[in-house]
Amino acid sequence: RTILGGIANSVCMTIQSGLISREFSVQKILKLNELTFLKESVKKRRRWGRGSGSGRGKQSGFGHQKSRSTPRAFEGGQTPLYKRLPKIGFFNSSQKSFQILNLSKIQEFITMGRLIPPPDKMITMRDLLYSGIVSQVNDGIKILADGKSKFTSKIH
């Protein structure tokens, strides 16, 4: 049988003078309970590990056993060093990391012309970042008073 667009054509074989010819019978509506797979469309799966006579036995396609790596701190069954030593200290998750900056450094950048303080306004963290005095502003900038006698600008 062949399936053509939801309608099945049954093939009849007749022998005419020694030759086989195909004749198509009247079309009939295809039913769900009559659907079958073509024999060639479904490939039979391989069954591994069914004895050496099957050709797929013994190692079942995995070859000889390989050596596997052990975990980093493995000490052959002995309790590892990191478990034998006590825990010390703690990690402060709420700790802030500030950039440290001296007033003398800010004054250097002002005299070089790399940082121009805006008239009648204060120097902000954004100005310090854009001028290149600080590389990144994590949680803020801590300004130290080293060089306060020479410093004249206003800082916000």
Side-chain angles (χ1 to χ4, degrees):
R1 284 191 169 178
T2 59
I3 299 172
L4 299 171
I7 298 174
N9 292 322
S10 58
V11 180
C12 299
M13 301 294 232
T14 57
I15 300 174
Q16 295 174 348
S17 65
L19 298 172
I20 297 175
S21 67
R22 292 182 179 161
E23 295 176 3
F24 289 94
S25 67
V26 181
Q27 295 179 345
K28 62 180 184 178
I29 297 174
L30 191 65
K31 295 178 185 172
L32 286 175
N33 64 339
E34 293 176 356
L35 286 176
T36 57
F37 287 108
L38 294 173
K39 190 178 179 182
E40 309 86 39
S41 68
V42 181
K43 190 174 179 181
K44 194 173 179 184
R45 74 174 187 89
R46 290 181 178 167
R47 286 169 50 108
W48 296 90
R50 297 297 189 275
S52 57
S54 68
R56 297 188 184 98
K58 200 161 181 180
Q59 277 102 14
S60 302
F62 289 100
H64 295 293
Q65 187 169 359
K66 301 169 190 81
S67 62
R68 292 173 180 90
S69 62
T70 55
R72 256 182 287 142
F74 187 67
E75 296 183 13
Q78 175 179 311
T79 307
L81 183 68
Y82 75 92
K83 284 192 175 183
R84 281 182 275 158
L85 297 176
K87 293 187 211 176
I88 55 169
F90 75 104
F91 177 75
N92 186 2
S93 60
S94 62
Q95 184 179 8
K96 306 242 185 253
S97 62
F98 293 106
Q99 285 279 346
I100 296 173
L101 185 63
N102 283 317
L103 286 173
S104 59
K105 181 100 173 193
I106 297 172
Q107 189 59 46
E108 268 182 49
F109 272 68
I110 291 172
T111 53
M112 286 187 331
R114 288 184 62 183
L115 176 64
I116 302 165
D120 61 283
K121 285 189 179 178
M122 298 184 182
I123 297 172
T124 60
M125 280 197 288
R126 178 177 282 164
D127 296 332
L128 297 174
L129 185 66
Y130 288 159
S131 65
I133 297 176
V134 290
S135 58
Q136 59 186 9
V137 181
N138 298 332
D139 292 320
I141 298 173
K142 187 180 274 192
I143 297 177
L144 304 178
D146 183 34
K148 70 176 180 178
S149 59
K150 300 174 193 171
F151 193 74
T152 55
S153 301
K154 293 180 183 177
I155 294 180
H156 188 258

